[in-house]
Amino acid sequence: MSPEQLGQTVYVLPTASQIKVDFPYNCAPGILGSADIEFQFSPLCKGMCPPGQTCPTPRTIEAGPCAIGSFCSEGTSNPLPCPAGRWTNRTDVDGPEGCEQCWLGYSCPTGATYPTACAPGTTAAALEQSTCDLCPAGRYQDAEAATACL
């Protein structure tokens, strides 16, 4: 401020009714907002959405559970499905390694919430199979959840 401006009005702050700011700030999906004024002056609001949880919308104040059959890494706005050959029925999985291996005799497509037993005539001889294999010509399997053809 220069000496010529002393005693003069330079700028008048607007009144509270003239300020058009929504609180809490509109944090992006995947970022946890806060109703606490302490966190409303940061571009990151309260921080990234915690691992194993999802913050699906702008202005998410409370993180929600991750969808079953999916995992939620830190900062997740949309859960990602468990990879083919893996499954989960939990809502707190924070990475693909948290999805369990599909069992022998079962298949787990992408996003599986529980392993599916192989139908008669099919097998799953390895862990983490996304589909069951048909028995070759001349062989059969009459049981469910089999690992080999007869």
Side-chain angles (χ1 to χ4, degrees):
M1 185 172 202
S2 67
E4 305 83 52
Q5 294 175 321
L6 286 175
Q8 293 190 16
T9 302
V10 178
Y11 179 75
V12 177
L13 292 172
T15 63
S17 64
Q18 293 173 317
I19 299 174
K20 304 285 187 210
V21 177
D22 287 334
F23 289 105
Y25 284 127
N26 201 8
C27 298
I31 298 176
L32 192 58
S34 176
D36 186 342
I37 193 75
E38 173 186 346
F39 296 107
Q40 293 178 358
F41 296 103
S42 164
L44 289 179
C45 297
K46 193 172 181 180
M48 301 297 279
C49 195
Q53 297 183 310
T54 183
C55 299
T57 61
R59 298 176 96 160
T60 299
I61 292 176
E62 283 191 39
C66 195
I68 61 172
S70 302
F71 64 92
C72 296
S73 302
E74 181 181 44
T76 294
S77 60
N78 290 313
L80 295 172
C82 285
R86 299 184 75 88
W87 68 280
T88 188
N89 60 5
R90 295 179 16 224
T91 60
D92 62 349
V93 178
D94 62 5
E97 64 284 343
C99 299
E100 298 184 40
Q101 289 183 330
C102 201
W103 309 324
L104 294 173
Y106 290 77
S107 67
C108 298
T110 301
T113 58
Y114 200 80
T116 302
C118 291
T122 65
T123 64
L127 294 172
E128 293 192 49
Q129 283 197 219
S130 60
T131 60
C132 297
D133 300 320
L134 287 172
C135 288
R139 306 205 61 198
Y140 73 97
Q141 180 49 259
D142 55 1
E144 286 189 347
T147 58
C149 296
L150 306 171

